Structure formats: C-alpha cells, structure tokens
Amino acid sequence: MKAGKRLASCAAAWLLCLAPSMAQPLSPPPPPPDAGLQQHLDAQLPPALPLLDSSGRPVRLGESFGGRPVLLVLGYYRCTQLCGLLMQGLLEALHDTGLPRSAYRIVRVSIDPADTPATAQAARDANLAYADVLEGPRRPDTPLDLRLLTGTEPALRSLADALGWRYRSIGDANSPEDAYAHPAVVAVLTPDGRVSRYLPGVRFDPAELRLALVAAGEGRIGGLSDRLALLCAHLDEQLGRHSAAVLQAVRAVGLLTALALLAFVARQAWPGRRPR
C-alpha cells in the first residue's frame, strides 16, 4: 500500500506540474515565421535552375549534381558573421571526418541578387585558403570541389522554396552585417540532387557529418529521428524559447506519463486483485 501511495503522489505531482500549461488552450501553432526552415526531405531540387558560377559562366544547378553527395549552403557572400562562421565550421568538420575530398562536393548559393561572380570568387578564395590552413603542410592530391553560385531573385527564391529554407531582407541592404535574416543550415543532398538530411548550426560533429555524407552517397533519406532532432533544436529567435510545436509535444508526453502512472496505481490498488 505504501508503494501505491507513493506512485499516486508521483502521478499527482506530474498533473500539478502540467496544470499551468494544460490550462492554456491547445490552440494551433502560430504561422511559421518568414525566416526559418521547413524540412523537405526527399525533395528534388530543380536541376534546370539558371545560375552563374564564380567565373561568370551561366550554369544550371543540376551541373553540380552527379557522382558524389553535395553539401548545399545558402547564404550571401557579403555576410561577415553567420555565413563565415558556418563555412569555417563546415570546413573544419570535413577535415576531421578523414574523408577524401573526392567523397563530396560543396555548393554555396547566394540568396542576395546583389552578389556578383566577383563577390563569389572572393568568397571562394577565402574558403579555399582556410581549407589549406586546416591541411597544414600536407597538401591533398585532390583539390577541394567548391562551387559558389549567384543568380536572379526569382531563381534564388525558387531554390530556397524547394529546400524549405525561408529568408527575408532586414535593414539596409548596403549593410553587410544585417542584410538578411536566414537559418544556419547545411543541406546534405544525394548525388542526383534530392534532400537527404539537414544539419543545423555553425559547428558540426565530424562523425555525424561523415555518416550523413555516406548515407546521402548511397541515396538514403533521413527519417523521423532527423525530423525530431531538428524540431527539438528549434528555438523561437525572438522569444528565446522552444516553438509552440515543441511545447505541444512536451505537454502530450507529460500527460501520457501521468496517465500511465495513475493506471498502474489503480491496477495495484484494485480491491478484487489478489496476488497469484
């Protein structure tokens, strides 16, 4: 009986903890913000999308597909903070994976139509120089397959929409530090240009990155665990707390746990129950 009382008290405590949040109506989550990420796993990115490479040559996005998995990074080349940190983190993690450079391709696309092949080339030179610094005195036999692309506003919006990558202009476009609000995410693509997985943040675990590249190279698409990992990592940028979708999930799990405890207590304390 003492054990039953303790379990009943535990279940009651769970319900008391949940009471404030359960008192709030479980209203639908607010509309998604205009800058963020909506996962489009297994989405085929448009291979015919017209772009320019860093030499000014017209190319199609699909020319970057084929033969190996692709790490796709959207941002803008005049960005001096977030985009630079993301690329440094990605290059460091790639170096630490131990994979040969021939095992992947990096494609950066600027969502700023004001970026030009010249700004793309300058960013490419900076990225290649940092990759060389990471290698130290050792020089790989294979050069880093790094492609930096620019395009028009309609083409860039089309790519971002296909990827589920939402961005918006903020402030003065002449200010490189706050021209665009956008998520910090690397999309891992299969060799044929389908979204295999998303890696959020500006620092990446080398082992996780290696597994993601191997899976994408085999044509495999991320599953429910990847979706939940990104959901639980999502914070409201303005409020600094988890999004409404995460709070709804936490409430549901807490309620189910409390109900399970109460059901167990009821079974143990049922008057007609006799031990076998």
Side-chain angles (χ1 to χ4, degrees), residues 53-56 76-79 87 108 115-130 146 148-150:
D53 67 11
S54 55
S55 68
Y76 59 106
Y77 304 139
R78 297 179 299 114
C79 174
M87 279 304 299
R108 294 186 65 185
D115 265 322
T116 65
T119 57
Q121 185 61 52
R124 184 174 186 274
D125 290 342
N127 293 158
L128 291 175
Y130 189 70
L146 174 63
L148 273 70
L149 308 174
T150 58

Side-chain angles (χ1 to χ4, degrees), residues 223-240:
L224 177 61
S225 61
D226 298 311
R227 293 179 183 270
L228 291 177
L230 264 179
L231 174 66
C232 293
H234 177 66
L235 298 177
D236 187 302
E237 294 180 355
Q238 293 182 340
L239 301 179

Side-chain angles (χ1 to χ4, degrees), residues 94-138:
L94 284 169
H95 175 265
D96 292 341
T97 63
L99 289 171
R101 288 179 168 182
S102 58
Y104 54 83
R105 175 177 297 124
I106 306 173
V107 177
R108 294 186 65 185
V109 181
S110 172
I111 47 85
D112 184 359
D115 265 322
T116 65
T119 57
Q121 185 61 52
R124 184 174 186 274
D125 290 342
N127 293 158
L128 291 175
Y130 189 70
D132 287 343
V133 169
L134 294 174
E135 293 296 334
R138 183 178 68 88

Side-chain angles (χ1 to χ4, degrees), residues 76-266:
Y76 59 106
Y77 304 139
R78 297 179 299 114
C79 174
T80 59
Q81 296 183 358
L82 182 62
C83 300
L85 288 174
L86 187 153
M87 279 304 299
Q88 287 182 5
L90 179 60
L91 292 171
E92 290 168 3
L94 284 169
H95 175 265
D96 292 341
T97 63
L99 289 171
R101 288 179 168 182
S102 58
Y104 54 83
R105 175 177 297 124
I106 306 173
V107 177
R108 294 186 65 185
V109 181
S110 172
I111 47 85
D112 184 359
D115 265 322
T116 65
T119 57
Q121 185 61 52
R124 184 174 186 274
D125 290 342
N127 293 158
L128 291 175
Y130 189 70
D132 287 343
V133 169
L134 294 174
E135 293 296 334
R138 183 178 68 88
R139 286 293 179 266
D141 296 333
T142 305
L144 186 65
D145 191 347
L146 174 63
R147 308 181 184 190
L148 273 70
L149 308 174
T150 58
T152 62
E153 173 70 18
L156 300 173
R157 281 288 177 187
S158 175
L159 174 58
D161 289 345
L163 192 62
W165 195 89
R166 299 188 303 271
Y167 66 99
R168 60 183 172 87
S169 176
I170 54 175
D172 183 1
N174 293 322
S175 173
E177 296 186 359
D178 62 352
Y180 290 93
H182 63 82
V185 177
V186 174
V188 187
L189 311 181
T190 62
D192 60 351
R194 291 177 297 123
V195 180
S196 173
R197 188 172 177 183
Y198 297 91
L199 300 175
V202 296
R203 289 292 180 265
F204 308 95
D205 178 70
E208 182 182 9
L209 179 57
R210 182 188 181 102
L211 289 175
L213 285 169
V214 170
E218 296 173 351
R220 290 188 277 133
I221 307 300
L224 177 61
S225 61
D226 298 311
R227 293 179 183 270
L228 291 177
L230 264 179
L231 174 66
C232 293
H234 177 66
L235 298 177
D236 187 302
E237 294 180 355
Q238 293 182 340
L239 301 179
R241 64 191 184 202
H242 285 94
S243 66
V246 176
L247 292 177
Q248 299 276 5
V250 170
R251 292 176 189 172
V253 171
L255 178 60
L256 289 174
T257 302
L259 291 176
L261 284 172
L262 287 174
F264 180 78
V265 170

